[in-house]
Amino acid sequence: MKKYFAEFFGTFWLVLGGCGSAVLAAAYPDLGIGFAGVALAFGLTVLTMAYAVGHISGGHFNPAVSVGLFVGGRFNAKDLLPYIVCQVIGAIAAAGVLYCIASGKAGFDAAASGFASNGFGEHSPNGYDMMAALLIEVVLTAFFLIIIMGSTDRRAPTPTGFSPLAIGLALTLIHLISIPVTNTSVNPARSTGVALFQGSWAVEQLWLFWVAPIIGGSIGAAIYRFILSNDEE
């Protein structure tokens, strides 16, 4: 059970840290951290929890990563559903804590503010349509899996103990690219947690932020497994 709890706590930290930075700190008067700060926050959540519990569960914290690693031959099928369930529960729990904190400010409205939810069309931060959102989520999640599998490969030029740095920085870069397009998902659990508390359009558009990351993660893992990996692996 330890690995399932590790996935719960890791995903909890990712949503609380990443989405919390967006909800509480991104536009704070005069000292707001902005898009760059939110991007860094997401990267730091994965980096810190990968070091904290990655040795217990592998440090997925993301259904698209779990599915991708399964496609890539790095993950056992029997653990796939329990991992995803624990990740989603962790994300919902973190979103609940964040909602309680944010509600402590007079006038807070999760539905009106968006509550760090992912969206497209009129709910994209910069008005990008559904096809743009679908494409960027597929492509960025694919590269995320390539980076994860490559940085943890035994042939990697640096020791595997440094792989969380590459993975955390990759997630930061992903957010720097795509926050204006979709508010950045590449993680169905992260999208689900906050969408349930936003409660309207975010739930209606949630399907894209399950479908696109899982397709992208599977593509990236397959590319690494069948094109970039050694024949013996």
Side-chain angles (χ1 to χ4, degrees):
M1 293 296 294
K2 288 182 180 180
K3 58 189 176 184
Y4 302 141
F5 280 114
E7 286 298 303
F8 170 87
F9 287 119
T11 312
F12 183 102
W13 185 239
L14 184 150
V15 172
L16 185 64
C19 295
S21 70
V23 171
L24 304 175
Y28 186 79
D30 301 324
L31 296 174
I33 62 175
F35 282 176
V38 173
L40 181 60
F42 271 101
L44 289 174
T45 61
V46 169
L47 187 155
T48 52
M49 289 307 290
Y51 277 121
V53 301
H55 57 287
I56 300 172
S57 68
H60 299 187
F61 319 140
N62 181 341
V65 171
S66 296
V67 172
L69 291 177
F70 167 70
V71 172
R74 299 268 192 96
F75 190 54
N76 197 317
K78 70 179 179 63
D79 286 325
L80 186 57
L81 183 58
Y83 264 50
I84 292 174
V85 169
C86 290
Q87 291 157 0
V88 172
I89 292 173
I92 294 171
V97 171
L98 179 59
Y99 181 86
C100 291
I101 295 169
S103 297
K105 181 179 179 181
F108 172 75
D109 185 339
S113 68
F115 201 54
S117 297
N118 303 112
F120 55 84
E122 63 179 311
H123 304 298
S124 159
N126 208 26
Y128 287 87
D129 64 16
M130 184 183 71
M131 288 308 299
L134 183 69
L135 182 60
I136 199 166
E137 290 287 334
V138 168
V139 171
L140 292 182
T141 314
F143 274 90
F144 193 37
L145 263 293
I146 291 172
I147 292 165
I148 290 170
M149 294 186 69
S151 64
T152 56
D153 194 313
R154 66 174 183 267
R155 298 173 296 150
T158 56
T160 55
F162 288 93
S163 59
L165 290 171
I167 295 167
L169 289 172
L171 191 59
T172 299
L173 176 58
I174 285 168
H175 279 77
L176 289 172
I177 297 168
S178 60
I179 284 177
V181 183
T182 62
N183 219 18
T184 309
S185 173
V186 302
N187 185 335
R190 167 260 189 272
S191 298
T192 300
V194 290
L196 294 180
F197 286 88
Q198 196 281 332
S200 57
W201 59 261
V203 176
E204 296 170 3
Q205 296 190 351
L206 183 59
W207 65 269
L208 187 144
F209 302 103
W210 274 87
V211 171
I214 287 176
I215 290 174
S218 300
I219 291 171
I223 288 172
Y224 196 87
R225 180 179 186 178
F226 297 111
I227 299 176
L228 302 176
S229 181
N230 276 343
D231 291 337
E232 307 89 48
E233 290 185 311

